[in-house]
Amino acid sequence: MIERLEATLEKYNKLQEELTKPEVLSDVKKTREYSKEMASLEDVVNCYKRYKKVLEELESTKEMTKDPELGDMAKEELKDLEMEKEKLDQELEVLLIPKDPNDGKNVVIEIRGAAGGDEANIFAGDLFRMYTRYAEKKGFSYQVYNSVDGTAGGFSQIEFIVKGTNAYSLLKYESGSHRVQRVPVTEANGRLQTSTATVLVMPEADEDIEIEINPNDLRIDIYRSSGCGGQGVNTTDSAVRITHLPTNTVVTCQNERSQIQNKEQAMKVLKTRLYEMQLREQQEATGAERRSKIGTGDRAEKIRTYNYPQNRVTDHRIGFTTKNLDRVMDGDLDDVINALIQEDQKRKLKGETEEV
């Protein structure tokens, strides 16, 4: 572990040195690339520096225990330092888990009402509110690029982007089928009903990612917007639907004010969809990595149940339950997401141990 930490520290220092050179500072792309890489190493470097300092303090404190006057006080301090060393050992072990290169990215989320008719669409709307409230609490922003209203409320589908540092690292576990158990407002007889909505989470493909899209592989349809666009919506043929023919991937964008803006947004989302397909293919090729993940991320996989009569949320992948459904639906997702992150880290550490 120490060798890896020393190599990380050396790399960090070298990047720091490079960023002082005029030829690097004059190259915007290189400056951004080096700064981004430095930021990704910062937590490990800071923790390791503290770890090294604690090791030095341990050595000097051990010497002090031999002093007749300071020995007792040094022994107490030694206990504290040993506890801190153990804690830092654990932190460094987690920090050295290979990072998902997409963790720092924005995230594209698609929610669709599934089984349950109108109630499924209403639940899709509830999930949309849950995620956007969570985004707001984290200081993230979001932008809807396509939505189709449900006939009784909610959405039959809604697609949006959440923008913020490490948004994907927090929301990447949300892909799958979400199940709700409650008495729907559409149920006249007051019977409990089970409905589902599906969620798909994808890292936004940024400018640095090479995804080749041949213009000849695209069919672009222009039509009249029907989503929420404020004043001016429905007055022009501004909505854009792009079909990528080789993969039959369809992207619709109608919430921007102009056809050009909708087309630009649709192309960004198409790039994200194709990037996500590429990632899945890579994960399938490395089956062990995929098996170590919390769930497969497939829409068909039932990942969580929201039980309204019992005010309970259960994540079936890790056996996590909380009796705070009302708070979760208001965007207080930290407990659920932290439990998923901790389990993911545990599995990755276990996987590394098994491979050694």
Side-chain angles (χ1 to χ4, degrees), residues 60-250:
S60 60
T61 306
K62 280 176 186 174
E63 288 298 315
M64 282 174 63
T65 58
K66 299 170 187 174
D67 188 299
E69 293 181 8
L70 301 172
D72 289 342
M73 186 175 72
K75 283 174 187 174
E76 284 300 314
E77 192 176 334
L78 196 63
K79 284 180 190 175
D80 292 339
L81 285 167
E82 282 169 348
M83 283 175 63
E84 188 172 359
K85 178 187 175 292
E86 190 179 334
K87 184 185 171 190
L88 288 167
D89 267 323
Q90 292 170 354
E91 278 183 38
L92 285 167
E93 197 174 36
V94 170
L95 285 168
L96 283 174
I97 295 170
K99 293 281 190 295
D100 183 335
N102 293 308
D103 275 352
K105 293 180 180 171
N106 298 332
V107 62
V108 174
I109 302 178
E110 300 178 2
I111 306 173
R112 296 172 189 263
D118 287 338
E119 169 63 3
N121 293 341
I122 292 168
F123 179 50
D126 294 337
L127 290 176
F128 170 69
R129 181 182 182 276
M130 177 182 81
Y131 290 128
T132 53
R133 290 283 291 129
Y134 175 73
E136 288 166 354
K137 288 176 183 185
K138 288 292 174 187
F140 299 160
S141 63
Y142 67 89
Q143 176 186 6
V144 176
Y145 65 87
N146 186 46
S147 62
V148 180
D149 293 342
T151 53
F155 304 96
S156 65
Q157 68 181 75
I158 184 160
E159 297 150 44
F160 58 105
I161 297 172
V162 175
K163 299 180 179 183
T165 305
N166 296 323
Y168 182 71
S169 72
L170 296 171
L171 290 163
K172 64 183 177 182
Y173 307 104
E174 295 302 300
S175 285
S177 178
H178 295 241
R179 182 173 71 171
V180 63
Q181 294 174 325
R182 65 185 176 190
V183 177
V185 292
T186 54
E187 174 58 60
N189 297 319
R191 290 175 298 190
L192 191 71
Q193 182 177 316
T194 299
S195 304
T196 60
T198 61
V199 176
L200 178 62
V201 175
M202 299 171 285
E204 184 183 33
D206 55 35
E207 293 173 6
D208 299 333
I209 290 168
E210 297 292 331
I211 300 288
E212 284 188 27
I213 301 175
N214 186 337
N216 295 326
D217 289 339
L218 302 179
R219 187 179 70 235
I220 301 175
D221 301 308
I222 309 297
Y223 61 99
R224 187 150 294 187
S225 298
S226 59
C228 48
Q231 286 186 343
V233 79
N234 290 330
T235 60
T236 59
D237 292 332
S238 62
V240 175
R241 182 188 298 111
I242 300 178
T243 305
H244 185 249
L245 299 171
T247 59
N248 198 31
T249 302
V250 181

Side-chain angles (χ1 to χ4, degrees), residues 301-314:
E301 181 190 20
K302 182 184 76 178
I303 65 165
R304 196 174 297 150
T305 295
Y306 304 75
N307 186 303
Y308 275 70
Q310 296 177 21
N311 197 39
R312 172 171 52 83
V313 177
T314 300

Side-chain angles (χ1 to χ4, degrees), residues 288-305:
E289 181 194 343
R290 192 152 176 80
R291 281 194 297 276
S292 75
K293 290 196 169 189
I294 295 174
T296 63
D298 293 332
R299 282 188 196 255
E301 181 190 20
K302 182 184 76 178
I303 65 165
R304 196 174 297 150
T305 295

Side-chain angles (χ1 to χ4, degrees), residues 252-268:
T252 301
C253 186
Q254 59 175 327
N255 284 15
E256 298 293 344
R257 288 192 173 273
S258 75
Q259 186 186 124
I260 292 170
Q261 288 174 317
N262 279 323
K263 186 178 177 183
E264 284 175 356
Q265 184 64 62
M267 285 300 294
K268 282 182 188 174

